[in-house]
Amino acid sequence: MPDDELLQRLRRFHLDAFPQYREQFQTLVNEGQRPSTLFIGCSDSRLVPYLLTGAGPGELFLVRNVGAFVPPYDGSHGHHGTAAAIEFAVLNLQVSRIVVCGHSHCGAIKALYGEVSPEAHNLQRWLDLGREATLPVQPSPEALRRTEQRAVVLQLERLMDYPMVRRRVQGGGLTLHGWHYVIEDGEVHVFDVQHGGFVAASKAQSSGTGPYHPYVEHDGQVLLD
């Protein structure tokens, strides 16, 4: 019988990795989870939230989906786990930050400019959540990069339509952060509200706090109304 690689990895975790965190996990069981951050990220395997943030067990409440999209609060896209997770994170877990993280070379963004398999009914409808971010141009590398970033800001706007999010943001108890991870550079670019565009984390003044309002674009920069 061939080796079961996943089984071997599970055994290594139990024997080698878990003992280092045993007490921490027991505390999280006894006292419950208290994550500070809701991280909404693309499902892409190259995006690894724990590596990006240096977070440990119990720090991130993770939501992954194709494109890191946020469904409308009004339920117009049907029942969805991402919307439920947002509500749970804000109302029950009382997170203090929400991060929306897109990335370079995103397959979801590329799909907005191309064809989707006729069998992928759910994917086709899901991609509608990113269409407002597309540009009326051919999908060049620059257009795709801008669309990836525009999509992040679009999701932040949509988050502000959730009444519990808006209430907490306006009350100062919750901050919103828009990130674009450039895989090949290993650097996150954060959306700077004051600057009106994405700035490399190595040069940014903050990790990108909101609130976020509808925006327009001029010369490739996102500007607030």
Side-chain angles (χ1 to χ4, degrees):
M1 211 173 162
D3 291 338
D4 188 330
E5 180 188 0
L6 284 178
L7 180 60
Q8 294 302 319
R9 291 188 182 200
L10 293 175
R11 289 173 175 169
R12 282 198 297 270
F13 166 76
H14 178 68
L15 294 174
D16 300 332
F18 179 72
Q20 304 174 51
Y21 300 98
R22 185 185 301 275
E23 292 186 10
Q24 189 173 357
F25 277 115
Q26 189 60 56
T27 299
L28 289 169
V29 169
N30 295 340
E31 300 179 3
Q33 64 168 328
R34 296 177 182 175
S36 59
T37 303
L38 166 61
F39 188 101
I40 303 173
C42 183
S43 298
D44 194 293
S45 62
R46 297 165 294 183
L47 176 63
V48 188
Y50 285 98
L51 283 179
L52 290 183
T53 63
E59 293 184 52
L60 299 179
F61 191 68
L62 286 174
V63 177
R64 308 288 294 269
N65 65 50
V66 174
F69 294 160
V70 172
Y73 175 73
D74 63 13
S76 57
H77 270 64
H79 298 292
H80 198 275
T82 297
I86 293 167
E87 294 173 354
F88 187 80
V90 175
L91 295 172
N92 294 69
L93 299 177
Q94 297 285 302
V95 296
S96 58
R97 294 186 292 260
I98 300 179
V99 172
V100 175
C101 187
H103 63 93
S104 62
H105 311 287
C106 181
I109 299 303
K110 290 180 182 177
L112 291 173
Y113 289 96
E115 295 183 3
V116 176
S117 169
E119 292 183 284
H121 299 295
N122 293 290
L123 176 60
Q124 184 70 55
R125 190 177 182 207
W126 180 250
L127 289 174
D128 288 343
L129 295 176
R131 296 200 188 282
E132 289 180 50
T134 58
L135 298 165
V137 297
Q138 292 300 311
S140 65
E142 174 64 16
L144 290 172
R145 182 192 65 82
R146 285 178 57 190
T147 305
E148 289 161 356
Q149 294 182 343
R150 285 163 57 93
V152 169
V153 180
L154 177 63
Q155 311 317 311
L156 293 169
E157 291 178 21
R158 204 170 280 142
L159 275 171
M160 287 295 286
D161 289 334
Y162 284 67
M164 73 290 299
V165 172
R166 177 176 291 276
R167 184 169 63 249
R168 289 276 311 283
V169 168
Q170 293 177 341
L174 178 66
T175 56
L176 305 183
H177 307 253
W179 295 356
H180 179 252
Y181 173 47
V182 182
I183 298 171
E184 59 270 36
D185 294 339
E187 180 148 45
V188 173
H189 294 241
V190 302
F191 183 65
D192 186 323
V193 175
Q194 301 303 319
H195 179 267
F198 283 82
V199 181
S202 58
K203 301 178 181 178
Q205 299 300 308
S206 75
S207 57
T209 59
Y212 297 89
H213 305 286
Y215 70 97
V216 295
E217 198 173 310
H218 177 69
D219 292 337
Q221 293 296 309
V222 177
L223 304 177
L224 301 179
D225 285 340

